[in-house]
Every structure is written in structure tokens, then in C-alpha cells.
Amino acid sequence: MQDNPILVEVIRGLLVESRHRGAVAVCDAEGMLLLALGDVETPVFPRSAVKAMQAMPLIESGAADAFGLDDIELAIACASHSGDKAHLAAVRGLLAKAGLKEAQLACGVHWPMSERASQELIRAGKSPSAIHNNCSGKHAGMLATAVYRRLDPAGYERPEHAVQEDIRRVLSEICGVPLDRHDMGIDGCSVPTFALPLAALATSFARIGSGKGLTGARKDAAERLVSACVASPTLVAGEGRFDTVAMRGLGTKVFSKGGAEGVHCASLPALGLGIAVKIDDGTKRGAEHVLARLLSELVPGADQVLQSRLDGELRNWLGLKVGRVRPSALLENAAKRLSQQKDSSAASSPR
Amino acid sequence: MQDNPILVEVIRGLLVESRHRGAVAVCDAEGMLLLALGDVETPVFPRSAVKAMQAMPLIESGAADAFGLDDIELAIACASHSGDKAHLAAVRGLLAKAGLKEAQLACGVHWPMSERASQELIRAGKSPSAIHNNCSGKHAGMLATAVYRRLDPAGYERPEHAVQEDIRRVLSEICGVPLDRHDMGIDGCSVPTFALPLAALATSFARIGSGKGLTGARKDAAERLVSACVASPTLVAGEGRFDTVAMRGLGTKVFSKGGAEGVHCASLPALGLGIAVKIDDGTKRGAEHVLARLLSELVPGADQVLQSRLDGELRNWLGLKVGRVRPSALLENAAKRLSQQKDSSAASSPR
């Protein structure tokens, strides 16, 4: 793997205190790279960024229609949710329609990401359960697919289960990359995660956002899932979180989804583009700043919606301004070039 | 600044999922570099790693003796504490002896690092206050110094206050580096933090741990503070945290202190060495792994005490083993060379 460049700098006083290296690809649905910084060919684990693609078999199998799932339930199947009331209700709704129980969720347990939800549990003297896991909606969707297909739901999270094999096939087809066991890791919630080059990930996000390069049931499934997410941005993440803020403010102009270890992807349906970011060190601080900077050039209104993130102001416990997160000169210049490229291609394209 | 090497790798499945670059210096009290990986000359903010040095004016001014401070109160003045009961009691003890009130603390407010302490506050329907800030002991020590010196305690956290000027002088003298306002940032708790080269930081830790290169009152102050920390490792950090685990298990063999943004330093008094680590991206995951690996070669028993950290096993929410944090080949080889160097210098030194 080649050395990735510094994309984000963290300033304190007059010095760069910390820095984040990484790679980013911006592609169209045909896989043409509009921007490549760093290594966009070595596979990286996309983690939760590809939950919408992991949810496709839920629709393609016919399970979603058979169980009468609505957009709320489809959005939660694609979510890394904060564990607030609305999230739990959506997961429970999905489970109930498919005749499933919370105890069947194999995602493991963590405290809700939502501080408010965690505090409510603590005040009530309760502990979290699997439904509070940010991936519980994805797991509910996988379980629903399994029962609809009359497969044994036990073990649905294992690599050899037909539900996971289906997901591997879907990812492989949309990304245009053969995937085998060597590309597999086990995710925080125990399902497989398959490593994919950033260029392929960006291409897949261009495809699922615009429908270009997809056909038939696959195209319909992508449109339905992305629309469901964009229509319920609070369900896909939670209050104050990047994906919720971005999609709530930008409507159908962006579908954005983060993953663990510094991965973040986005679809820009109107432009037919996809973006995929991976920060080498795995920090969200780096990934979100890169994506915010690129969106601010590519998507009208994103500069306002993501303003506090673009400012990157660091305040301390007393509220004093002590530093700033900022794009590196390389990222800054690349973002500006990308914006010009977009404008000139829009000007020259036939109407 | 030159490119720092990869020191730590994070493995998932068969791939390196994330990586941490950084620099590390191991020095003796004369500033001789026994190990230098990466850039050990460009100044970095040491943040909370130098709290013991920030506490020196508390002793050197005569305030600690005048107020009859004991080792508990000296340890908490050097701490980044978890906000558990014993920590709060120690801070309150220090404040009471100096006739100070909690309301005078200018460190700002955050939830206790201790999950248990946070949950107790929530269950009691309370919010945290400045005393829960991990730096409240340091601030209490600064306030005590100010009142003993009959300085206005208000504004004790500001760069121009005599207490902070004293700290700048102490840091500059022990590290052997002139420091001015250009090297200054404001820390999370609102006091100044002065950027220092890792080589100078490692040298200063060699000095405060062994007393070598220090004389008179400065030497006594260093010995008293380091002894107080090593004698109360739980006060300096908290249950389960690196510094507490290391010092509890290794007694007087190590004085270790972490700071924000991936800084970690340690004194090895018996060897007369100091270590200073900075991870470029600011993550504790990287810094703690580097320090654990070096301590395991240099300090008898550290391999057992820090075993779980050296194993670096990553388990997911269900308890499945999904990956591992491991030293890069460069760090691994450097650690082994360092161990041989130490053994051969011990064998050849006069007894």
C-alpha cells in the first residue's frame, strides 16, 4: 500500500497538533475517477457505510413487500442508529411484521450512542440490550430476509448463511469486484464485512444514488432504500450526527453513510457521483471533515448545512476557542479543482 | 516536519484495517537518544503528560508544605483523574487545606471519565461540575500556589498569571528548551500547554524519574511528586486506565502519564531513562500500544502487567475475536534492539 497523503490537520495555537492521512475517491457510475487522492485501489473494509447494500436482499428477495415494510422500516435497516425511542420503535416494527423477537438479534449489546437514551436507561436502572446496538435495524432486516426465504434464522449473521452469501453477491455485483473469504473481516456486530477499493465503493455509491448502471429489481431496490434513508435522516443516524445533519439539510441531494474506522461514503444522485473516504488511522474526525469539504464544493447549500463542521472550530471545556480542524492544502486544492470540473462538465453537457 | 513512520497496525481479518504513525524518543537524563523513531525534534504539545512538572511550583514555592499537603493531594495535583469518589475527595482535600472553593476552579466541566461515577450522577439526577473535570486536581494545585504566594487567584489559568509563568520556566529548565508564546497553545482545561520536542520530553522524564540532572529543591520536588504518583496509581488516572494499571503493577519501576491527542510519557527511574511518544493522528490507541511495547522490553514484569494491552486483541460486541492491535515491524525491531542495548549497557557498567 502506498503512503496516503495528509488530508486533514488539527491546529492548536500556532501549530499543527495532529494530522489525518487517508484516501478519497469520487467516481461516476461508470467507475470514472473524478478525484483520487491517495490509494483508491487497495481494498478497505467499508464497515457500516454499505448498510444500504447489505439491505438489498431484504427487498430483492420479496421479503420487504411480503411483510409490508414501510419506509421507516427500510431506513432503519440501513441505519447506524443512536438508540433513541424512534429508532427502537422502528426496529421493533420491523421485527413484529416479520414475526421475530428481539432475542433473535445477534448483533451484541452496547450502550445507545444517544446520550439522552443512555441516561434514560440509567435513570430507570436498566441496562442496554441488543435492540440498542446501532446495527439492530440491519440485523432485523437480515433476520426478516431469512425467515421469508424459509431459511433457519439462527446463524443468519455467519458468513456461510445464505443471507450473508446473498449480501456478498450484491456487494460484488454493484461494486464490480469479485469478493471471496480472503477479503472478509468480521464486523463489530458479528456479520461479515468485505474489503473493497475506494474507487469501487465510490462507483457503487454513484450507482445506488442515481440508478445508473443498475437495472430491474436491483435498480428499484436501490431507489427504494436510498429514498427511504433520505426521507428519514434522523433514523439513519441520530440527532447531531453527520449523516442526519447532512441529509436533513440537503434533502434528496445527498445520501450519506458513515462506517467505523474512518470510512464515510456518499451518493450525489443529481450529479450521478459517489464519494468514498477512508482515513488511515480510523478516526471519524478525519473522515467527516474530508466529506464535508467535498460536499461543500459539489452540493448547493452544503456549505450552509455543514457550516459548523467546515469551520472545524475546537472549543475547550470552558468554551474557549483553542484550535481548528481544517483541510490540508492538498485536499483544499483538490476540492476546488473538483468544483471547477463539475461546473465545466455541467456547462458542456447536453440539456 | 518529516514523515513519521507507521508504529502501530490494527488488523481485521487478514488485512491491516487502520494504522497509526508517530514518533518516539527514549533518552537518558543527559539527553542522549537511545531510540528515536520519526521526528523527535519538532515540538509537540505534551498536554496532560507533563502534569507532574506543572505541579512543581506547588512544592518549590513552599505552598505544599505550608498547607501540609500529603501524598494523596500531591498525586491528584499530577492526575488526569476519572472523577471517582476517591479523586473528588483528594481534590476537595487539597482545596480545603488551601482555603479554596470548588467554584474557583477554571477547568470547565465534563462528565467523569469513570462510567460508574457518571452513572451515579445520572441516577442522582445531577450534572457534573468542575470538580469532575479530569484536571481539577492540577487546577487545585495551581490555585493553592497562587494563594500561598498572595497572588490574586482569579485568572490563575491565564498565560500571563505568575503561576503559569512559573510553570513555563520549570518546563523550560527541566526540558532544556527555551519556551515562548509562539510555542503555546491553550489546553482543554484552559491553562497553557507548551510545545516541546519529544527528545526533550523524554529527557525531562529521565530527569524527574531519576533525579539526575536536577539539584536542590527541584530535585526534591520531582522525587516527591513522582513518588506520590507511583504510591497512588489509582489517583493519577483511574480503574482500568493505562497509567493506573502500569504503575499499580510495576511499583516504583515506572512513572507513566498520558496526555490528550496521542501523547504518552514515562520515566524508568532505575534505568535513568525517559520515554516520550506522540501519535500523529492523536489517538490513545496508538500511543498506549507503543508505550506498552517499549515498557515490555525495558521493565522487568511489564510484559505480564500489560499483557492484555500487548496482546491487543480486538473483540466485538458479542465477544468474538475480530482483530488485533500490533506493533509495526519497525517498532517491533526497535523495541528488541533497545532491549539488547539496555542489557549490554547494564552488563558493561561498573557496579
Side-chain angles (χ1 to χ4, degrees):
Chain A
M1 184 182 148
Q2 70 183 67
D3 267 14
N4 283 327
I6 294 170
L7 298 180
V8 173
E9 295 174 331
V10 183
I11 310 297
R12 181 175 300 264
L14 300 173
L15 304 183
V16 177
E17 180 169 36
S18 297
R19 43 190 68 72
H20 300 292
R21 287 170 183 270
V24 54
V26 180
C27 287
D28 68 15
E30 284 165 10
M32 194 182 83
L33 275 163
L34 274 79
L35 171 69
L37 298 178
D39 179 356
V40 300
E41 293 307 333
T42 299
V44 300
F45 289 121
R47 310 290 300 272
S48 290
V50 295
K51 274 176 173 165
M53 286 182 261
Q54 289 174 302
M56 290 216 181
L58 174 65
I59 295 187
E60 293 183 9
S61 67
D65 286 331
F67 293 132
L69 302 189
D70 58 23
D71 275 5
I72 300 290
E73 289 138 5
L74 293 182
I76 207 72
C78 302
S80 295
H81 67 71
S82 291
D84 265 319
K85 278 199 183 74
H87 301 119
L88 308 191
V91 180
R92 286 180 178 132
L94 203 172
L95 290 170
K97 286 188 180 174
L100 292 156
K101 297 195 179 94
E102 288 182 33
Q104 290 175 273
L105 295 168
C107 47
V109 176
H110 63 69
W111 284 91
M113 287 189 194
S114 155
E115 202 173 285
R116 180 178 57 189
S118 283
Q119 294 195 4
E120 277 178 18
L121 280 175
I122 292 164
R123 272 195 294 270
K126 292 180 184 166
S127 291
S129 63
I131 194 135
H132 298 96
N133 186 308
N134 76 89
C135 302
S136 64
K138 175 178 75 176
H139 280 250
M142 290 171 174
L143 274 166
T145 309
V147 297
Y148 175 73
R149 291 185 54 197
R150 300 183 184 278
L151 300 165
D152 184 355
Y156 72 91
E157 78 282 9
R158 297 208 187 108
E160 63 275 15
H161 195 282
V163 166
Q164 301 301 334
E165 283 287 349
D166 266 8
I167 290 169
R168 178 166 67 135
R169 189 176 42 76
V170 167
L171 281 166
S172 178
E173 288 169 6
I174 303 183
C175 297
V177 174
L179 291 171
D180 67 26
R181 290 289 176 84
H182 289 92
D183 308 304
M184 196 189 81
I186 298 299
D187 212 325
C189 67
S190 293
V191 303
T193 177
F194 292 97
L196 289 155
L198 287 177
L201 274 170
T203 303
S204 72
F205 270 76
R207 290 174 179 165
I208 65 169
S210 68
K212 288 178 191 164
L214 305 178
T215 53
R218 170 79 33 96
K219 189 176 177 177
D220 293 344
E223 195 193 334
R224 219 165 132 186
L225 288 166
V226 169
S227 300
C229 290
V230 169
S232 296
T234 313
L235 287 180
V236 178
E239 284 305 332
R241 289 172 56 201
F242 187 98
D243 293 329
T244 295
V245 170
M247 292 193 280
R248 189 186 284 162
L250 295 166
T252 56
K253 289 185 277 190
V254 171
F255 164 59
S256 120
K257 187 69 193 73
E261 290 291 333
V263 176
H264 220 125
C265 296
S267 302
L268 312 185
L271 298 173
L273 299 179
I275 305 176
V277 182
K278 161 75 184 175
I279 298 297
D280 290 3
D281 55 62
T283 54
K284 194 166 67 169
R285 176 170 72 180
E288 290 185 352
H289 200 76
V290 173
L291 187 55
R293 187 66 193 87
L294 295 180
L295 291 178
S296 74
E297 293 288 349
L298 290 171
V299 181
D303 50 345
Q304 273 97 53
V305 168
L306 299 171
Q307 193 182 347
S308 69
R309 285 174 159 86
L310 291 164
D311 289 345
E313 208 170 77
L314 295 176
R315 292 186 173 269
N316 74 2
W317 299 117
L318 215 59
L320 301 175
K321 190 176 167 182
V322 293
R324 197 185 153 209
V325 181
R326 72 178 185 197
S328 67
L330 181 89
L331 175 61
E332 185 59 29
N333 291 334
K336 283 179 183 152
R337 275 200 317 278
L338 191 61
S339 166
Q340 288 159 4
Q341 238 176 304
K342 179 205 68 164
D343 294 342
S344 67
S345 93
S348 65
S349 67
R351 303 276 164 158
Chain B
M1 185 181 148
Q2 70 183 66
D3 267 14
N4 283 326
I6 294 170
L7 298 179
V8 173
E9 295 173 333
V10 182
I11 311 297
R12 182 176 300 263
L14 301 173
L15 303 183
V16 178
E17 180 169 34
S18 298
R19 43 191 67 71
H20 300 292
R21 288 170 183 268
V24 54
V26 181
C27 287
D28 68 15
E30 284 164 10
M32 196 182 81
L33 275 163
L34 276 80
L35 171 68
L37 298 178
D39 178 356
V40 300
E41 294 305 334
T42 299
V44 300
F45 289 120
R47 311 290 301 270
S48 290
V50 295
K51 274 177 173 165
M53 286 182 261
Q54 289 174 301
M56 290 213 181
L58 175 64
I59 296 187
E60 292 183 9
S61 66
D65 286 333
F67 293 132
L69 301 189
D70 59 23
D71 276 5
I72 299 290
E73 288 138 4
L74 293 181
I76 208 72
C78 304
S80 296
H81 67 73
S82 291
D84 265 319
K85 279 199 183 73
H87 301 120
L88 307 192
V91 180
R92 286 179 177 134
L94 203 172
L95 289 171
K97 285 187 180 174
L100 292 157
K101 297 195 179 92
E102 288 181 33
Q104 291 176 271
L105 295 168
C107 48
V109 177
H110 64 70
W111 284 91
M113 289 189 194
S114 155
E115 201 174 287
R116 181 178 56 190
S118 284
Q119 294 195 3
E120 278 178 17
L121 280 176
I122 292 164
R123 272 194 295 269
K126 292 181 184 166
S127 292
S129 62
I131 194 135
H132 298 96
N133 185 308
N134 77 90
C135 301
S136 64
K138 175 179 75 176
H139 280 250
M142 290 171 175
L143 274 167
T145 309
V147 296
Y148 175 72
R149 290 185 56 196
R150 301 182 183 277
L151 301 166
D152 185 356
Y156 72 91
E157 77 282 7
R158 297 206 187 111
E160 63 274 16
H161 194 281
V163 167
Q164 301 301 335
E165 283 287 349
D166 266 8
I167 289 169
R168 178 166 67 135
R169 188 177 42 78
V170 167
L171 281 166
S172 178
E173 288 169 6
I174 303 183
C175 297
V177 174
L179 291 171
D180 67 28
R181 290 289 175 84
H182 288 91
D183 308 304
M184 196 189 80
I186 298 299
D187 212 325
C189 67
S190 293
V191 302
T193 177
F194 291 98
L196 289 155
L198 287 176
L201 274 171
T203 303
S204 72
F205 269 76
R207 290 175 179 164
I208 64 169
S210 67
K212 287 178 192 164
L214 305 178
T215 54
R218 171 81 30 97
K219 188 175 177 176
D220 293 344
E223 195 192 335
R224 220 165 131 187
L225 288 166
V226 169
S227 300
C229 290
V230 170
S232 296
T234 313
L235 287 180
V236 179
E239 285 305 332
R241 290 173 55 202
F242 187 98
D243 292 328
T244 295
V245 170
M247 293 194 278
R248 191 187 281 162
L250 296 166
T252 57
K253 287 185 280 190
V254 171
F255 164 60
S256 120
K257 186 71 192 72
E261 289 292 331
V263 175
H264 221 125
C265 296
S267 302
L268 312 184
L271 298 173
L273 298 179
I275 306 176
V277 182
K278 161 75 184 175
I279 297 297
D280 291 1
D281 56 62
T283 54
K284 195 167 67 170
R285 175 168 75 180
E288 290 185 354
H289 200 76
V290 173
L291 186 55
R293 187 66 194 86
L294 295 180
L295 291 178
S296 74
E297 293 289 350
L298 291 172
V299 181
D303 49 346
Q304 273 96 53
V305 168
L306 300 171
Q307 193 181 346
S308 69
R309 286 176 158 84
L310 291 163
D311 289 347
E313 209 170 76
L314 295 177
R315 290 184 176 271
N316 73 3
W317 299 117
L318 216 61
L320 301 175
K321 190 178 167 179
V322 293
R324 199 187 151 208
V325 181
R326 73 179 185 198
S328 67
L330 180 90
L331 174 63
E332 184 60 29
N333 292 335
K336 283 178 183 153
R337 275 201 316 276
L338 191 62
S339 165
Q340 288 159 4
Q341 238 176 303
K342 178 204 68 165
D343 293 343
S344 67
S345 92
S348 66
S349 66
R351 304 276 164 161

